[in-house]
Amino acid sequence: MRVYSPAKINLHLRVGPKRSDGFHPLVSWMVAVGLFDTLDFTLDTAGRVDLSCPDPAVPVDDRNLIVQAARIMQVEATRILGGETSLSPLAPGARGVRIELSKVIPMGGGLGGGSSNAATTLKALNELWLLNLPQDRLSALAAGLGSDVPFFLNGPSSICTGRGEVITRVDSPAAHWVVLILPEISMPTPAVYRQFDQMPSCPDFDQAVDWAQWCNLSAEVLLRMLQNDLEPSAFALCPNLARLRESAQSLVARPVRMSGSGSTLFTLFDTKDEAIAAADLIQSKQSVRTIAVTIANVEK
């Protein structure tokens, strides 16, 4: 089974002060975008979980969310099927898998590639192992893997609250194209949040938003509404990223935002031609990888 695993951006991200459980309450509008990793799944009759990736920077052991997701699904398979082959055409020993990952989504860029890979693995093994777990069970398993993972089971356009695990689907934005600026800068999420905790918080982070109205706005109007409360923290840690954002904004004459905890920057357009022209301009002037991709409508 071959499955394409999309990236995401946080169009809008409000972050509240740290809660007693150590998490920050969030309000985020997340959308999938047309940038994909590829995962190939093959049954392993010996019951092993084996991950391979040609990129040596990608861990292929239990540190990888793909492996963690596969092991969780093995536990689920044992829980619901046990050793009863009558409950499934697959013998218990066949509930193993070899997974080949082709990595395109940058790591440490705020695009949720690892979370997307984990959600893709949950869905693929549910089908490959004939488990037939319902959506709500998959979502519960996803929440245990990470705050962004449930979104990828409920995209392509959703409002994420709580610590990110409470998902409410909304319409895709009327702006259909996003320009992604992909600097070779890794922004570790914990470091950005630690910096955030040292800065003044925003008391109105959960202010009411008419999401239905926002979904219908043009790219230029919507961009003026969007916020990311982690931008000051990320830019304090990496002034070069702040300078890149300012330069990109000057080149395209519209706001440029950051996705998640960075380092990916983005801006929106209503048409493909506008987006491609802007991406070419930024890349030629800044020598940073910049691409134009679809937003929310992300069929490979």
Side-chain angles (χ1 to χ4, degrees):
M1 178 188 296
R2 170 166 288 183
V3 186
Y4 298 103
S5 177
K8 62 81 180 171
I9 58 171
N10 304 79
L11 285 176
H12 187 69
L13 177 58
R14 307 305 311 275
V15 183
K18 185 187 292 186
R19 306 184 310 202
S20 59
D21 62 3
F23 290 104
H24 293 78
L26 306 175
V27 177
S28 181
W29 184 7
M30 290 172 58
V31 291
V33 298
L35 180 66
F36 301 87
D37 290 339
T38 303
L39 289 87
D40 288 292
F41 296 86
T42 305
L43 281 174
D44 183 286
T45 56
R48 297 169 297 199
V49 171
D50 181 64
L51 173 64
S52 62
C53 179
D55 185 345
V58 177
V60 294
D61 54 17
D62 285 352
R63 292 172 293 170
N64 195 300
L65 285 176
I66 294 172
V67 177
Q68 294 177 35
R71 297 204 189 284
I72 284 175
M73 290 299 281
Q74 283 186 319
V75 172
E76 283 296 291
T78 300
R79 181 182 68 81
I80 64 175
L81 300 176
E84 294 294 329
T85 56
S86 61
L87 297 177
S88 170
L90 290 180
R95 296 178 202 129
V97 65
R98 297 192 306 276
I99 307 169
E100 297 179 21
L101 170 65
S102 177
K103 195 72 181 163
V104 173
I105 301 170
M107 296 186 292
L111 293 172
S115 296
S116 179
N117 294 165
T120 296
T121 300
L122 294 177
K123 290 187 291 185
L125 294 184
N126 193 41
E127 181 176 347
L128 194 66
W129 290 346
L130 307 173
L131 300 179
N132 298 315
L133 292 175
Q135 179 73 14
D136 59 350
R137 182 56 185 165
L138 288 177
S139 294
L141 296 175
L145 288 165
S147 297
D148 286 348
V149 182
F151 163 75
F152 289 100
L153 296 175
N154 296 277
S157 177
S158 298
I159 307 304
C160 305
T161 55
R163 59 179 177 86
E165 83 284 7
V166 181
I167 311 296
T168 303
R169 293 184 181 181
V170 295
D171 289 341
S172 300
H176 292 307
W177 287 86
V178 58
V179 169
L180 300 177
I181 305 169
L182 305 167
E184 293 183 356
I185 300 171
S186 180
M187 297 295 295
T189 298
V192 176
Y193 272 96
R194 283 195 296 271
Q195 181 70 24
F196 174 85
D197 289 336
Q198 298 172 18
M199 304 178 77
S201 59
C202 302
D204 61 343
F205 85 97
D206 60 349
Q207 61 187 354
V209 171
D210 186 342
W211 299 110
Q213 180 189 36
W214 281 30
C215 290
N216 291 316
L217 298 175
S218 68
E220 286 197 66
V221 175
L222 178 59
L223 280 165
R224 293 197 294 269
M225 311 290 285
L226 302 178
Q227 294 178 250
N228 183 340
D229 290 337
L230 295 180
E231 285 179 0
S233 305
F235 296 156
L237 290 173
C238 186
N240 284 342
L241 187 59
R243 286 190 284 269
L244 176 59
R245 195 271 289 269
E246 293 301 319
S247 177
Q249 286 189 148
S250 296
L251 287 170
V252 298
R254 64 179 55 209
V256 171
R257 299 257 65 95
M258 185 181 78
S259 178
S261 58
S263 61
T264 296
L265 305 173
F266 71 88
T267 190
L268 305 177
F269 290 89
D270 296 313
T271 69
K272 179 179 180 180
D273 289 347
E274 288 178 299
I276 290 175
D280 290 345
L281 176 62
I282 295 170
Q283 182 158 293
S284 66
K285 297 294 186 181
Q286 293 297 317
S287 299
V288 60
R289 185 187 176 205
T290 308
I291 57 175
V293 297
T294 53
I295 186 170
N297 180 21
V298 294
E299 293 299 323
K300 181 72 173 178

